[in-house]
Every structure is written in structure tokens, then in C-alpha cells.
Amino acid sequence: MVNLGKKVIYQIYPKSFYDSNGDGIGDIPGIIKKLDYIKKLNVDMIWFNPFFVSPQHDNGYDIADYYKIDPRFGTMADFDELVAKLKKINVGVMLDMVFNHCSTDNEWFQKALAGDKKYQKFFYLRKAKADGSLPTNWQSKFGGPAWAKFGDTDYYYLHLYDPTQADLDWHNPELRKAVYKVVNFWRSKGIQGFRFDVINVTGKAQKLVDSTGPDQEKSLYTDTPVVHKYLKEMNANTFGKDPNSITVGEMSSTTIKNSIEYSKPSEHELSMVFNFHHLKVDYKNGEKWTKTPFDFMKLKELFTQWQEKMDQGGGWNALFWNNHDQPIALNRFGDPGKYRIKSAEMLATAIHLMRGTPYIYMGEELGMVNPDYSSMKDYVDVESLNAFKELKKKGMTAKEAFEIIQTKSRDNSRTPMHWDASKYAGFSKVKPWLMPKKQDKINVQEELRHGEIFNYYQKLIKLRKNEPLVSDGHIKMFLKNDPQILAYERFLENKNDKLLVFTNFYGKKHIVQLPEKYQNKHVQVIISNYKQTNLSLNERLTLRPYEALAVKIS
């Protein structure tokens, strides 16, 4: 059984990591060329976003062939070489499995279009209502209705995402077998890590009905009881046969109760879950495409609930601030200008010392920030382009709509990795698919020579591997009403030692009133992003701007 508490996972967006052949797109040979850097990171596993054959309408999350590497990323031989070389440096591979939907270019969908009844049952095909309207009033998450015409038939097919991403019907045992076959193919190549994209929206009902509004609509296809049945079955037929497998489910709008069941070892479903509630605290009235400061007290409340209740229920969290679908956390919760370094380190401390398995998104360890593009022409993300049109339709000026895109676009995190300060950031010799920005100040070369963020991440990773309070400890939040500080205690059963973690989420000094039980104890500083001299825990503790401090008390 894997000790998930000792693991740290690094996420690489292959399209943006390193371009080895001068076509402006990152590729697998490019990742191989950067193995020295990956070795320096000291992580245990790399989650790769999809590099399977795809028309790239949604950056590879529209898979046309689950068994083949897209030629723009390399060959199967390149992939095998990457896996073998990563194994030599003790780094595992986690592949991204997209099974809620497939590309309309996929053989399954194409056979269905051609009239093959077997494959038509792989999809949600429904006729229009008697009045000629769409089968249901559901909306796509990328904007517009969630139904599109199925060729020249009387049917429509369901697509919760882009029209080129047709939802797969998991009620069909033949579809499920086909999905498990894909997982087992990659297992046969030695892969023991799998990330399952939006896996908890696979549980739609057989009879699809109209919704009464956006929130109720989600409940019709999200976190339904049948998802647990599917996951148990997939576990038994695929990765559950590997004692060293590590799996994570991306769970859209999930609940703690469901997430405990998804990730509790005795349930035999997944190793852990991604939830996104903490990344919605800068959504005005729950709407992503808005611009508003983050709600710190809400953030604290969510961390408290998810950390404490998942611990009490025996579930396991994937810990993260950043990924390919999120604008950069440093811009959202830190200060990318005046306190870029300190706030990057503070944010890292806040989650790396929590209970769970931390994920680092490429560039995060350099303190990379949003690119702040100057025009809509700079963006390529389908969701952002659709949102810009929708915001203008709602009456916003182009300037107002653009400012929101700048803040919330997924392209913010998809910019190429900054290797050096050159024109294309050392990522490519030609103009990349997405332009790098601010590489003159933030890049690998500069960070490894003179920076402190990368080294700070190294200290956090070392702590997770060597300190049982971090890897195995329980968690309890304190200072719950403090308007500026997120603080928690890590503790082990029947042990006196405790780890206290303090993180100041603002650029101003703050004095905290320490609970009496933590006062006048023997103190050992475990990690801090400021120099600590003669620290003692008395009645009051002063934290500097964006300070992170972890101390062991006994």
C-alpha cells in the first residue's frame, strides 16, 4: 500500500513544457530533454495532461484515439523512452484519462454516425421533444445548449462540454468494458498513475429530464450514487490490481460525504480527489466570469471543513492551488507585484503542510504569474473566447469583458514554461502556440541561480518525506475567526509533538492571540519564509507580510 502522505506530484502540461522540434508546441522529446530539471524537483510522480490523438478543440481533452500518441507530441517510442528514463530517477507517470466524453472524431462516435447500433449505445442519443425543442434544456459548461444534431438523423447527442466532445453513456456495460480496456492497455506499459477527468459527472440518469435552474441542473448529473458503482467496478477490473497504483478523480461540484467514499481505502474506488470549492472564493455570486477580491473567511471555512471532515471520515485530499484549468493562484491569493516571492512561499506552505497529497503545477515553483495579455487576439482557450462573447451579450463593454478574461482565463496557466529570459522564454526557437510573458524576470535559469522559491519548495518536499507529523498526522484548524491568518495544528495519535502552521494571507503585519495551550512551550522552527531569531510562543505572535511559519512544539 502506498503512503500517499509522503508523495508529491508535479503536473506537466506537455504542450507548454518544452518544444524540441521547433514547431511552437511542447512535446514528449522536449520533456526528456528536461529530465535534469525534473530530477532536481525531487517529486515522486508526474501527471501529464493528455497527449493522445486529438483535434485539440479543447487542448487534448477531446480524445480521438485513446491508444495512440498524437504525432504533434511525438511517438509511442518517445513515450516508452520517457517512462523508462523517469523510472531510472524514481519518478512515476500519471496519465490523464478522459472518459466522461470523447472527441466526435473518435472511432466510436464515427461508427455511431455511420449507423452502427453497438456504438450508438455508447452515447446519449435522444430525439427532440414533441414541440420540436431540444431533448432537455441543459446548458453546456462552455456556453450554449448541451445538445447537438446527430448527423442527418432525428437524434441529438449530449455534450456537457464542447460540441466536439460527445458524452459517453456509462449505463452501457459495453462502453464501460471499452473504457477499462484503455486503462489496462496503459497499465500493460507500466503505468500505475491515473487521473480521471470530471469522473463524477458520468452518473447521469437513463431518463434525462429538464432542469429548473443551473444549480439543480448540476445535481441531475453530478455525484449521483451510481458513480460509486462505476468506480468500484473500474477499480476491480483495472488499477485496483496494482498495489502501488495512485489514482485521483477530478470531482466537479462534489461534496465531502461523496469524496470520503470516493477516496476511503476500504471503499476500493480512488486514492484521492480534487475538489474545487476553495478556488471559487473569488467568484461573485458563484459566477466564474466576474472580477472580485477573494473571500478569505470563506476560504478558511472551506479548508477547515474539507481538511477536518475528510480526516475524520478517512478520505484523502489532493492538495493544490494551480492547474491547467485555473488562473495562477499567486495573482488570486497573493501579491504578484510587491510580495511575489513571500506570497508564493506562503501559499505553498499553506497547502504543503496540510493533510493530503500536494500537487505542484509547472512554473509554480518559480513563482510564475498571469501573463496579463493586452488583447483577445492573445487568447486561444475556447472557454475564454466563448465567455468574452457572452459577457458582451450581457451588456458589458469590450474593456470590462476583457478585464475579466485577463483575470480568469485558463490560458493564464497554459503559457509556456519560462526556461530563460529570451524572446520565447527558452521554450521554443519559433513563435509558440501561446506567448510567454514576464520571462525577463521569472525563469528557471534566474531562479536556480539567484532565486529562493524553488529552494523553498525543496524544503517543503523534504519535510513531507521526513516528518511524520506532515505525512501521517491528523489536522485541526485554529484561529478560525482571525481575519488574516490561516492556522492549523498537525498531530499524531498518542504523541506529544505537534506541528503548528501559521500563514498570513495579506501584505500587512498582523498580531495573533495564541491559544493558551500553545503558549510557553519548547519551540523548534521547522520552516519559515522569513529569517527567525529567538522565536518563542508567548501570548502574542507577530506575523510579517505574507509570512509562513511552521513550528514543532512538545
Side-chain angles (χ1 to χ4, degrees):
M1 185 94 168
V2 178
N3 183 342
L4 296 170
K6 287 186 184 289
K7 301 295 180 190
V8 179
I9 299 175
Y10 188 70
Q11 183 189 353
I12 285 181
Y13 195 65
K15 202 172 178 181
S16 296
F17 198 62
Y18 183 67
D19 169 21
S20 72
N21 61 356
D23 63 358
I25 294 170
D27 46 50
I28 295 170
I31 298 164
I32 294 169
K33 281 197 160 80
K34 295 296 182 183
L35 282 176
D36 282 351
Y37 181 72
I38 289 167
K39 192 177 177 183
K40 260 192 193 81
L41 285 167
N42 201 24
V43 295
D44 300 280
M45 185 170 255
I46 296 175
W47 155 26
F48 293 101
N49 293 89
F51 37 52
F52 312 110
V53 171
S54 164
Q56 297 286 323
H57 294 297
D58 186 26
N59 279 297
Y61 282 87
D62 45 330
I63 296 175
D65 191 330
Y66 289 103
Y67 295 97
K68 292 197 177 117
I69 304 292
D70 194 307
R72 78 191 80 200
F73 294 121
T75 63
M76 190 62 86
D78 294 329
F79 174 76
D80 291 339
E81 183 187 348
L82 174 64
V83 174
K85 286 187 168 168
L86 283 171
K87 193 177 181 182
K88 275 188 183 164
I89 57 169
N90 298 314
V91 177
V93 169
M94 177 180 276
L95 291 184
D96 214 320
M97 299 280 111
V98 187
F99 293 141
N100 172 67
H101 46 263
C102 70
S103 168
T104 49
D105 285 1
N106 192 293
E107 179 185 46
W108 298 345
F109 192 81
Q110 288 302 310
K111 282 184 172 177
L113 268 181
D116 189 320
K117 293 281 186 279
K118 176 189 167 178
Y119 288 98
Q120 285 182 351
K121 288 176 184 165
F122 275 30
F123 301 94
Y124 286 92
L125 303 183
R126 301 289 187 271
K127 286 186 172 176
K129 290 180 190 152
D131 64 2
S133 62
L134 293 171
T136 70
N137 61 351
W138 294 8
Q139 292 297 297
S140 155
K141 289 170 187 278
F142 289 172
W147 294 94
K149 200 90 171 73
F150 184 65
D152 55 5
T153 69
D154 293 338
Y155 287 90
Y156 291 83
Y157 67 91
L158 179 68
H159 63 87
L160 285 180
Y161 297 87
D162 191 70
T164 63
Q165 293 166 298
D167 277 53
L168 294 165
D169 187 349
W170 277 64
H171 291 287
N172 179 354
E174 290 302 310
L175 176 273
R176 298 202 302 275
K177 275 184 200 161
V179 159
Y180 306 157
K181 193 177 162 196
V182 172
V183 178
N184 287 330
F185 170 80
W186 293 103
R187 279 180 59 232
S188 73
K189 290 187 151 290
I191 305 306
Q192 294 188 316
F194 296 99
R195 181 254 187 197
F196 295 99
D197 186 62
V198 293
I199 196 69
N200 67 328
V201 301
T202 53
K204 296 122 187 144
Q206 270 173 314
K207 188 178 186 321
L208 304 179
V209 297
D210 277 348
S211 68
T212 55
D215 289 335
Q216 187 264 346
E217 187 168 299
K218 276 182 192 168
S219 72
L220 296 175
Y221 57 74
T222 307
D223 260 0
T224 59
V226 74
V227 176
H228 295 289
K229 177 196 155 198
Y230 296 154
L231 288 174
K232 284 174 170 68
E233 185 183 277
M234 179 157 64
N235 180 310
N237 285 283
T238 62
F239 57 80
K241 297 172 183 177
D242 303 324
N244 295 322
S245 72
I246 295 180
T247 54
V248 59
E250 181 194 28
M251 301 299 174
S252 171
S253 304
T254 190
T255 63
I256 293 172
K257 183 176 177 288
N258 275 302
S259 293
I260 288 169
E261 191 175 340
Y262 291 139
S263 60
K264 193 175 182 176
S266 58
E267 293 296 333
H268 301 289
E269 295 188 18
L270 300 169
S271 309
M272 65 188 104
V273 294
F274 282 121
N275 90 80
F276 297 90
H277 300 285
H278 65 297
L279 294 175
K280 294 178 180 177
V281 295
D282 57 354
Y283 287 18
K284 198 173 183 179
N285 303 322
E287 290 289 322
K288 171 178 174 170
W289 298 104
T290 51
K291 196 175 171 186
T292 190
F294 79 102
D295 182 338
F296 177 61
M297 296 310 282
K298 184 72 186 161
L299 183 75
K300 270 177 68 155
E301 185 192 323
L302 285 163
F303 276 140
T304 300
Q305 288 171 355
W306 278 86
Q307 281 288 300
E308 292 183 352
K309 288 179 181 170
M310 287 287 275
D311 183 8
Q312 289 153 15
W316 196 257
N317 282 304
L319 306 168
F320 71 108
W321 285 116
N322 296 289
N323 67 29
H324 63 291
D325 277 337
Q326 297 290 332
I328 290 175
L330 194 42
N331 287 74
R332 301 169 77 175
F333 308 109
D335 180 345
K338 191 176 175 188
Y339 290 108
R340 183 180 70 87
I341 293 165
K342 294 298 173 207
S343 57
E345 293 165 348
M346 181 281 292
L347 288 169
T349 310
I351 62 157
H352 275 255
L353 300 185
M354 282 182 182
R355 181 180 176 276
T357 299
Y359 285 67
I360 300 166
Y361 181 70
M362 60 179 228
E364 182 186 322
E365 72 281 9
L366 312 174
M368 277 179 68
V369 296
N370 286 351
D372 292 334
Y373 290 138
S374 54
S375 153
M376 276 310 292
K377 288 179 189 152
D378 296 320
Y379 292 90
V380 299
D381 173 38
V382 60
E383 188 193 31
S384 303
L385 302 177
N386 289 347
F388 183 68
K389 286 177 200 157
E390 288 295 319
L391 290 169
K392 286 200 299 178
K393 259 191 216 166
K394 286 178 184 169
M396 279 190 193
T397 65
K399 184 175 181 287
E400 288 166 337
F402 180 68
E403 279 176 8
I404 290 170
I405 302 296
Q406 266 187 320
T407 311
K408 294 282 172 69
S409 174
R410 300 190 299 183
D411 279 342
N412 286 323
S413 56
R414 296 175 180 185
T415 53
M417 183 77 167
H418 294 174
W419 295 102
D420 61 35
S422 63
K423 186 179 179 183
Y424 299 131
F427 164 76
S428 179
K429 291 181 170 62
V430 301
K431 188 180 177 184
W433 74 279
L434 194 61
M435 285 300 285
K437 273 290 200 77
K438 305 177 185 173
Q439 69 268 31
D440 55 327
K441 293 186 181 68
I442 308 166
N443 62 69
V444 170
Q445 206 176 61
E446 179 64 21
E447 182 62 28
L448 294 183
R449 278 185 194 154
H450 309 294
E452 64 174 74
I453 301 173
F454 185 92
N455 285 337
Y456 193 84
Y457 268 80
Q458 289 304 294
K459 288 176 192 168
L460 288 167
I461 292 168
K462 200 172 174 186
L463 263 178
R464 181 155 286 278
K465 293 181 189 306
N466 299 325
E467 175 52 75
L469 281 164
V470 176
S471 57
D472 306 323
H474 296 290
I475 189 162
K476 190 176 179 209
M477 300 292 186
F478 64 97
L479 301 178
K480 288 182 186 180
N481 298 319
D482 192 293
Q484 204 166 315
I485 307 298
L486 173 74
Y488 53 89
E489 171 195 313
R490 302 295 310 278
F491 62 97
L492 290 159
E493 302 283 351
N494 310 316
K495 294 272 169 81
N496 289 332
D497 285 358
K498 289 177 171 40
L499 186 72
L500 305 184
V501 180
F502 301 89
T503 50
N504 181 1
F505 270 70
Y506 291 90
K508 52 183 192 274
K509 193 170 78 168
H510 189 69
I511 298 168
V512 296
Q513 185 77 29
L514 271 187
E516 201 174 323
K517 63 177 177 175
Y518 301 139
Q519 294 175 24
N520 306 313
K521 301 275 187 189
H522 176 259
V523 177
Q524 180 193 352
V525 176
I526 297 298
I527 192 168
S528 175
N529 62 345
Y530 278 87
K531 220 177 202 141
Q532 298 295 340
T533 49
N534 305 324
L535 181 77
S536 57
L537 292 187
N538 300 316
E539 201 177 326
R540 290 160 186 261
L541 176 69
T542 302
L543 290 164
R544 289 159 282 193
Y546 293 106
E547 181 163 8
L549 171 66
V551 298
K552 198 191 267 194
I553 62 167
S554 48

